[in-house]
């Protein structure tokens, strides 16, 4: 800025939503999606000591009803939640309180793209932690064809908007 320039730079830091900003029934579409590679699946599967042949053994998986290796469902779940972070909980979450109703109606395969959306299904102020609230999120993952591949309900403890 020059000495005569009176323009003030406005800075915006990306963050998740404060408790008050979550709207019941709202559905957030998280973009971009994430294309899952063979390397992603193999690395996650081996790092977590999950030796299931459906994820690692191409010859074995070829003989199953799926005809090929499946993406590890725990990787699918982790990525589904991860896709929501920047838009919903970055810097505002206190803790994950738990997951329920997790399902994987269809598998993901190498090369599929996972898209995520989140519906706000419940929220309430915390009874034991002033300045925080509990938000229940229903995450839905779809592949590039729009097929639902994962659903998970997650309770989170979220900060309220700071008063100062």
């Amino acid at each position: 800025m020059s000495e005569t320039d009176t323009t003030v730079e406005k800075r915006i830091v990306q963050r998740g939503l404060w408790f008050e900003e979550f709207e019941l029934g709202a559905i957030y579409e998280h973009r971009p999606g994430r294309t899952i590679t063979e390397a992603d699946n193999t690395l996650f599967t081996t790092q977590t000591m999950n030796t299931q042949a459906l994820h690692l053994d191409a010859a074995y998986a070829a003989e199953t009803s799926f005809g090929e290796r499946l993406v590890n469902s725990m990787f699918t779940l982790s990525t589904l939640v991860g896709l929501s972070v920047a838009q919903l909980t970055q810097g505002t979450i206190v803790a994950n309180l738990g997951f329920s109703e997790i399902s994987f109606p269809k598998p993901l395969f190498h090369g599929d793209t996972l898209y995520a959306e989140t519906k706000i299904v419940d929220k309430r102020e915390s009874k034991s932690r002033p300045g925080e609230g509990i938000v229940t999120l229903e995450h839905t993952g779809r592949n590039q064809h729009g097929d639902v591949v994962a659903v998970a309900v997650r309770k989170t403890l979220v900060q309220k908007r700071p008063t100062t």
Side-chain angles (χ1 to χ4, degrees):
M1 274 188 343
S2 69
E3 290 180 30
T4 58
D5 189 356
T6 59
T7 305
V8 176
E9 288 183 347
K10 181 177 182 179
R11 293 186 175 270
I12 300 170
V13 176
Q14 183 170 338
R15 62 160 172 85
L17 303 178
W18 302 116
F19 173 78
E20 295 84 354
E21 294 175 306
F22 283 95
E23 296 180 38
L24 286 178
I27 297 174
Y28 296 86
E29 295 183 0
H30 312 297
R31 298 296 183 268
R34 174 69 157 76
T35 302
I36 311 302
T37 68
E38 178 180 4
D40 294 327
N41 189 44
T42 301
L43 180 62
F44 182 89
T45 297
T46 55
Q47 282 183 327
T48 57
M49 301 297 291
N50 180 343
T51 58
Q52 176 53 251
L54 279 170
H55 307 310
L56 296 173
D57 187 331
Y60 172 82
E63 299 299 320
T64 69
S65 61
F66 299 108
E68 61 184 295
R69 286 171 289 170
L70 306 180
V71 171
N72 186 316
S73 59
M74 294 297 98
F75 180 79
T76 301
L77 177 62
S78 295
T79 305
L80 173 60
V81 171
L83 287 167
S84 76
V85 168
Q87 193 173 13
L88 297 180
T89 61
Q90 181 67 49
T92 57
I93 192 171
V94 177
N96 277 319
L97 300 178
F99 287 84
S100 64
E101 303 175 46
I102 298 170
S103 64
F104 303 99
K106 291 192 174 201
L108 274 179
F109 300 99
H110 300 155
D112 281 349
T113 300
L114 179 63
Y115 293 97
E117 62 187 46
T118 302
K119 182 176 182 178
I120 310 308
V121 295
D122 193 30
K123 69 181 248 186
R124 68 171 179 82
E125 292 186 22
S126 173
K127 294 173 186 161
S128 61
R129 296 178 66 112
E132 298 171 358
I134 297 170
V135 179
T136 304
L137 312 166
E138 181 182 71
H139 300 292
T140 300
R142 300 177 190 275
N143 65 16
Q144 68 275 15
H145 307 294
D147 300 324
V148 174
V149 297
V151 177
V153 176
R154 175 171 72 124
K155 284 190 184 290
T156 59
L157 188 62
V158 178
Q159 298 173 38
K160 287 185 166 184
R161 183 187 312 273
T163 56
T164 57

